[in-house]
Amino acid sequence: MNSNQPYETLDPQDWEKMRTLAHQMIDDSIDYLADVAERPVWQPVPEAVAATFKTPVPDQPADPAEVYDEFLTNIFPYSMGTIHPRFWAWYMGNGTIMGALADLMASVMNPNMGGGNHAASLVEIQVLNWMKQVTGFPEEASGLLVSGGSMANLVGLTIARNTLAGVDVRRQGIQSMAKKLTVYASTEVHSSNQKAVELLGLGSDCLRKIPVNADYTINLQALRDSIDQDLRSGFQPICIIATSGTVNTGAIDDLPAIADLCDEYGIWFHVDGAIGAIAMLSDTVREQLTGIERAHSIALDLHKWMHVPFEAGCVLVRDEKAHHDSFALTPEYLLKAERGLASGPAWFSEYGIQLSRSFRALKVWMTLKEHGTQRLGRMISRNVDQAQYLGQLIENSANLELIAPIGLDIVCYRFNPGDKSEEALNDLNREILLELQEQGIAAPSSTILSDRYCIRVAIANHRSRYEDFDVLVETAIRIGHSILA
Ligand SMILES: *Cc1c(COP(=O)(O)O)cnc(C)c1O
């Protein structure tokens, strides 16, 4: 061994150079966010830039500063736009600088949140306890931080299936069931629930999609009829999925009525609250969510309306034992100890699918500490108010029309000059949306409601100002007329 050569590891050869670079990254991050409103919300990645991602896997080391330079040139300028005050597409949060810094610190510590006795486990336990407090869940309930609402729904529905199947599904599989299991949700249910039902081996035919009322909430009579019909036909109903904040229009299903139905039929009450559950923080919305505390399981998304950087979702489960029974599997190499590293209360790997897990709890913990529930709640209340403000602008303008009742913070509307066929209106509004995005002005997304294409504005955005909606409406009308001309 040549003692003149530095011992090779993946650490920087020069820590002081790395310190300088790291400081530069932080400075760039802060400038990036502080100036975000001045930049276009979105711009396409130029072809020449896209071409740089076709190089083969690097086989030699490079200077970290050069690697970072490449990031600055080819990646940083072409963000999705979620950080911008006029980003209202799909349903996303903005993130925060503290959330991003928490991710940095979490990665620096690099714990594996599968389990073990270390401070990070205590952080996740505390975050889960806070989420129980926010939703009115009992202290003995269990939970898990997950990648997002999709995973939270999958975990919740897995426990529902395993608990109510009437056979030992983990051992015998769904093959052993005499009756087919059925799950109920409205036609507005998020696709992640269907994926979960498919993954659980039940088949999407067994997810009964119940019609909705004019306000896009589940029709309770149709729901009851469907369950009764299935019981008569020899199916075994196991779960109703209520949505608190549907993705299309922000509708909140009648949670107390669904809780009653689940009690009556002895089935699992799962709430997909990826959009709305965290609005329990808002003094103006909380009442609409009454009944959520009666759920057997709730899916929450913290990277949406709580603005924790992606990924951060949460599932809460009323029956800790049912939760543990669905996922715990302890091979000899994961044995726990009374003392030492393998002791400790939190074996998160026994409550979900992942073994190795990131320390996403830190960004949630820091976000809640930095802002507190009241300020986070005010951000939610303001978005709801901004949705009403936008609704007023639409109603006051001759060429715009609302396509659905405004639920929570979601507004669906279209440009309608009055003399066009439905098909022409769909084409026209599709083009308006593309122009809004391509001109970098605003980024709503779209949906289709009763065959009508509409521009969908989902305002989970702590940076949006009321003026931003004036800009949206003025520009959409101007673009509409210029396309017609
Ligand atoms: C976004 C969303 C999901 C999926 O959550 P992810 O965080 O994207 O995995 C599920 N349900 C609803 C109602 C949603 O809006």
Side-chain angles (χ1 to χ4, degrees), residues 153-154 156-158 160 182-197 200 202 206-210 218 223 227 238-244 246 253-255 258-259 262 267-274 295 297-299:
N153 285 324
L154 176 59
L157 295 176
T158 303
T182 46
V183 175
Y184 303 80
S186 86
T187 49
E188 294 295 303
V189 71
H190 190 271
S191 57
S192 60
N193 294 286
Q194 179 172 329
K195 281 199 202 178
V197 167
L200 291 172
L202 307 182
C206 282
L207 174 60
R208 310 296 198 212
K209 292 193 180 165
I210 309 298
I218 193 166
L223 173 58
I227 297 174
I238 54 162
C239 177
I240 303 175
I241 305 168
T243 305
S244 67
T246 58
D253 287 335
D254 186 337
L255 303 179
I258 294 173
C262 288
I267 62 180
W268 192 273
F269 176 27
H270 177 74
V271 175
D272 179 355
S297 51
I298 307 177

Side-chain angles (χ1 to χ4, degrees), residues 96-364:
T96 63
I97 186 68
M98 192 67 166
L101 295 172
D103 252 353
L104 170 64
M105 301 317 289
S107 294
V108 168
M109 286 183 78
N110 198 34
N112 186 324
M113 300 297 283
N117 182 5
H118 48 116
S121 292
L122 300 178
V123 174
E124 181 152 347
I125 291 172
Q126 182 166 40
V127 164
L128 293 169
N129 284 334
W130 287 344
M131 288 302 126
K132 293 177 214 166
Q133 288 164 22
V134 166
T135 52
F137 248 43
E139 234 177 272
E140 340 55 270
S142 57
L144 187 72
L145 293 184
V146 291
S147 54
S150 304
M151 190 59 91
N153 285 324
L154 176 59
V155 169
L157 295 176
T158 303
I159 305 164
R161 182 198 63 176
N162 291 8
T163 306
L164 284 151
V167 296
D168 184 348
V169 187
R170 287 191 65 182
R171 216 161 50 79
Q172 301 171 289
I174 51 164
Q175 330 261 31
S176 63
M177 286 184 276
K179 288 182 176 180
K180 284 193 175 170
L181 309 184
T182 46
V183 175
Y184 303 80
S186 86
T187 49
E188 294 295 303
V189 71
H190 190 271
S191 57
S192 60
N193 294 286
Q194 179 172 329
K195 281 199 202 178
V197 167
E198 292 168 2
L199 284 165
L200 291 172
L202 307 182
S204 56
D205 284 352
C206 282
L207 174 60
R208 310 296 198 212
K209 292 193 180 165
I210 309 298
V212 290
N213 304 310
D215 63 359
Y216 292 91
T217 60
I218 193 166
N219 183 303
L220 293 165
Q221 189 57 48
L223 173 58
R224 178 184 283 280
D225 290 347
S226 175
I227 297 174
D228 287 340
Q229 173 65 47
D230 280 339
L231 283 169
R232 281 194 300 274
S233 313
F235 289 94
Q236 186 179 334
I238 54 162
C239 177
I240 303 175
I241 305 168
T243 305
S244 67
T246 58
V247 64
N248 272 329
T249 69
I252 301 173
D253 287 335
D254 186 337
L255 303 179
I258 294 173
D260 288 344
L261 264 184
C262 288
D263 283 349
E264 184 182 333
Y265 287 92
I267 62 180
W268 192 273
F269 176 27
H270 177 74
V271 175
D272 179 355
I275 286 177
I278 198 63
M280 287 296 283
L281 297 176
S282 154
D283 291 338
T284 57
V285 177
R286 191 174 303 116
E287 210 181 307
Q288 295 181 56
L289 296 163
T290 302
I292 200 169
E293 74 289 348
R294 294 175 61 189
H296 292 100
S297 51
I298 307 177
L300 293 105
D301 246 333
L302 310 177
H303 58 211
K304 288 181 175 171
W305 224 350
M306 210 176 98
H307 304 294
V308 173
F310 294 105
E311 302 166 344
C314 177
V315 60
L316 296 178
V317 182
R318 174 173 304 279
D319 181 347
E320 187 272 341
K321 181 173 180 305
H323 189 179
H324 193 254
D325 284 351
S326 275
F327 291 102
L329 186 61
T330 311
E332 67 283 1
Y333 42 84
L334 292 176
L335 283 185
K336 280 169 256 182
E338 290 295 310
R339 297 172 8 235
L341 180 56
S343 63
W347 285 80
F348 298 109
S349 56
E350 297 179 359
Y351 292 88
I353 296 161
Q354 285 180 273
L355 174 55
S356 294
R357 302 171 65 247
S358 75
F359 187 17
R360 56 169 58 92
L362 186 62
K363 58 192 169 185
V364 181

Side-chain angles (χ1 to χ4, degrees), residues 17 26 39 55 77 94-95 99 116 120 152 162 186 272 292 300 305 342 386 389 404 413 437:
K17 262 175 83 180
I26 300 289
R39 297 197 300 274
T55 50
N94 298 119
N162 291 8
S186 86
D272 179 355
I292 200 169
L300 293 105
W305 224 350
Q386 286 170 330
Y389 177 77
Y413 75 98
Q437 293 175 354

